[in-house]
Amino acid sequence: MNTDIKNVIIFASNNKGKAKELYKCLREFNIILLSEIKELDNFIIEESENTFEANALKKAEAISKVTDTAVIADDSGLCIDAFDGWPGVTTKRWLEGTDRERNLAILEKMKGLSYKQRGCSYVSSVVLKKDDKTILKSTCELRGHIAYDVRGKKGFGFDEIFVLPNGKTLAELEFSEKQAVNPRTKALQNIRYQVTLWNYPLRILGYRHSAKQQAIEKINARVEEYNNNKL
């Protein structure tokens, strides 16, 4: 089978939770995870921009440049009203450690703040770059407030401290319930709708495992060639 790597989309993340959300939204697309491209094992992109969208675009452009494929990337974070939007784009890296350690540190910083002072937003930006002329973007937001303690075991990141208007944290929701309110899911759905307007073969049902493996091999070869040309 002749496999065209132009028919695939690389997801620029190794986060398993995000990957599950992505597959659910874009299940008919030919998705390849960053972790499946061995030549990109040590490919590091510093998220140094001031907005979620700019960080997502930076990741998509960097990976698209070396793979010559369509790339979908996201950047998401927690913006707390009482701290003027902090931690924002630094949500994942403002403190070294685990998600739980960062969440507990946030709760410590918010000690003594009332319910009305605990407002926050979960912001997610998704970018899909096909080529220099086709870059799709979507940013969505979910309002809530910061919990008084960690609750729930079904999420990741800051899900266990993000409380919805119904009183549950995101980590207390079933996967389908979270998908219904998740701003990353909504941003992905917006991107999906925009892709359907392309005259571009990204949606191929029945993409067989053998074809996917061939695509991965071609992408690895493309990245290796790119790296060799840089030397």
Side-chain angles (χ1 to χ4, degrees), residues 7-226:
N7 294 343
V8 304
I9 303 175
I10 294 177
F11 179 43
S13 175
N14 291 320
N15 185 300
K16 292 181 180 179
K18 290 183 179 182
K20 184 179 180 181
E21 294 171 1
L22 178 83
Y23 278 128
K24 186 68 174 179
C25 289
L26 306 180
R27 54 188 175 274
E28 75 270 48
F29 289 72
N30 302 325
I31 302 293
I32 293 177
L33 301 181
L34 194 62
S35 58
E36 296 179 284
I37 311 299
K38 292 182 179 179
E39 290 293 329
L40 292 176
D41 277 350
N42 299 315
F43 195 75
I44 299 174
I45 304 167
E46 184 180 356
E47 297 179 345
S48 57
E49 303 302 317
N50 295 324
T51 66
F52 296 111
E53 182 183 282
N55 275 328
L57 179 59
K58 183 178 181 180
K59 288 186 282 187
E61 288 182 329
I63 294 173
S64 180
K65 182 177 181 180
V66 300
T67 62
D68 196 27
T69 64
V71 177
I72 192 165
D74 91 295
D75 192 35
S76 306
L78 179 66
C79 301
I80 301 173
D81 298 349
F83 302 139
D84 298 321
W86 176 90
V89 294
T90 67
T91 296
K92 187 67 177 178
R93 59 186 184 277
W94 73 270
L95 177 70
E96 289 188 13
T98 65
D99 290 337
R100 172 61 61 84
E101 289 170 337
R102 280 186 288 272
N103 292 339
L104 290 175
I106 287 174
L107 294 183
E108 181 66 26
K109 285 178 176 289
M110 299 194 71
K111 269 189 175 180
L113 295 185
S114 68
Y115 177 87
K116 290 184 177 180
Q117 295 173 304
R118 304 178 81 87
C120 63
S121 293
Y122 171 5
V123 180
S124 182
S125 290
V126 176
V127 171
L128 176 53
K129 177 179 168 61
K130 169 179 168 281
D131 51 42
D132 289 337
K133 294 182 180 179
T134 311
I135 300 175
L136 307 181
K137 305 174 184 178
S138 180
T139 297
C140 293
E141 177 180 350
L142 174 66
R143 288 292 298 172
H145 70 272
I146 301 297
Y148 290 95
D149 51 28
V150 296
R151 301 203 321 262
K153 299 180 179 180
K154 297 173 184 175
F156 60 94
F158 52 83
D159 287 355
E160 62 187 6
I161 62 170
F162 190 98
V163 181
L164 299 166
N166 66 7
K168 289 186 177 182
T169 68
L170 288 171
E172 292 178 302
L173 301 181
E174 297 297 333
F175 181 73
S176 59
E177 293 176 309
K178 183 182 176 185
Q179 287 288 90
V181 298
N182 190 346
R184 184 184 299 107
T185 297
K186 293 183 183 300
L188 285 168
Q189 290 170 340
N190 290 341
I191 294 293
R192 181 182 182 279
Y193 173 74
Q194 293 179 67
V195 170
T196 62
L197 303 180
W198 288 355
N199 181 23
Y200 190 71
L202 284 174
R203 304 204 315 155
I204 299 181
L205 294 170
Y207 194 47
R208 295 186 301 187
H209 178 73
S210 59
K212 180 178 180 179
Q213 291 306 117
Q214 289 180 28
I216 290 173
E217 290 173 8
K218 285 188 176 184
I219 294 169
N220 274 314
R222 179 68 59 85
V223 177
E224 184 177 13
E225 179 184 4
Y226 177 88

